[in-house]
Every structure is written in structure tokens, then in C-alpha cells.
Amino acid sequence: MAKRLPLQKLPSTFTIVGSRSHASPETDAFVEEQRKKYGAVDFVAAGSSLKFTLIAEGKANVYPRFAPTMEWDTAAGQVIVEQAGGNMMEWPSKNKIVYNREELRNGWFLCEAEKSQ
């Protein structure tokens, strides 16, 4: 039987992981919106797969991606995050991301750490 690893407590400062090389005006607006909501916000730039693991580990609160990705860029990371208790959804609809579509390009998404940490 599989066991969940103990998650770290989320950082005291609201932490967003993202990519500086794939930043978009929408990502900048999202970060500013979170600053208004939470006050201080840390932004951590990380490589593609590391962003998902930082969310799964509880080292970051959210990973917004408002730039193109493909199914193969996100499928494994989504499984890791969801198995750790987090959530990944289309943005802004908040619908569950469905794979094996005819169109392999993903829309925007938001990945969130488990909130009960």
C-alpha cells in the first residue's frame, strides 16, 4: 500500500513559482493580484518540472502558467501534484484538465498546493 510523504508546511510568505523566460502580462497581473490579496509575495523562478515538485512538496503555494504548454509538459507533473493533495485546473474556468485530446496544446492553468498544510 502506498503512503503519502509528509508535506512541509507552506511558506509563511505566499510563494508563486513560475518561469521568467515564459512570463506573460497575464502572469505579471496574477502576481500583482496576489500581492494585493496577501501583501508580501515571493516569486521563485524554476525549471519546468521543478515547479510541479515545489508545489507537491508544499514549498510554494501556486504555479500559474499563462503561456503555451503541451500535454507532455504537464501530465506527469499534474499526477505528482494531485497525489500530494494539490490541484491543477484550467484557468480561469477552473475545469479539470483532460488529456488525450485531439488538440495537444494546453490552455492556461493554475496549479495549487494542498491548502490544509
Side-chain angles (χ1 to χ4, degrees):
M1 173 180 236
K3 288 187 177 183
R4 281 182 63 186
L5 296 174
L7 298 177
Q8 297 185 19
K9 186 175 180 189
L10 283 169
S12 57
T13 301
F14 192 83
T15 301
I16 301 169
V17 292
S19 172
R20 295 216 190 276
S21 61
H22 293 99
S24 66
E26 293 84 3
T27 303
D28 295 339
F30 180 85
V31 172
E32 282 308 310
E33 196 176 297
Q34 301 315 300
R35 281 194 175 108
K36 289 177 185 171
K37 186 174 181 180
Y38 295 104
V41 168
D42 284 339
F43 184 89
V44 177
S48 297
S49 61
L50 291 177
K51 291 186 272 281
F52 290 111
T53 60
L54 290 169
I55 294 293
E57 287 181 273
K59 291 183 177 178
N61 299 82
V62 296
Y63 165 27
R65 180 62 185 234
F66 306 142
T69 59
M70 302 300 280
E71 284 190 350
W72 53 80
D73 295 319
T74 60
Q78 181 174 352
V79 169
I80 291 167
V81 166
E82 289 178 351
Q83 289 301 302
N87 187 37
M88 191 162 146
M89 67 192 97
E90 293 176 346
W91 192 259
S93 71
K94 298 185 181 179
N95 292 329
K96 184 165 181 64
I97 296 175
V98 178
Y99 290 93
N100 203 24
R101 306 174 307 259
E102 189 170 319
E103 171 59 49
L104 300 176
R105 176 175 269 184
N106 293 323
W108 292 354
F109 66 82
L110 183 70
C111 186
E112 301 176 304
E114 182 177 24
K115 292 187 186 328
S116 64
Q117 297 178 46

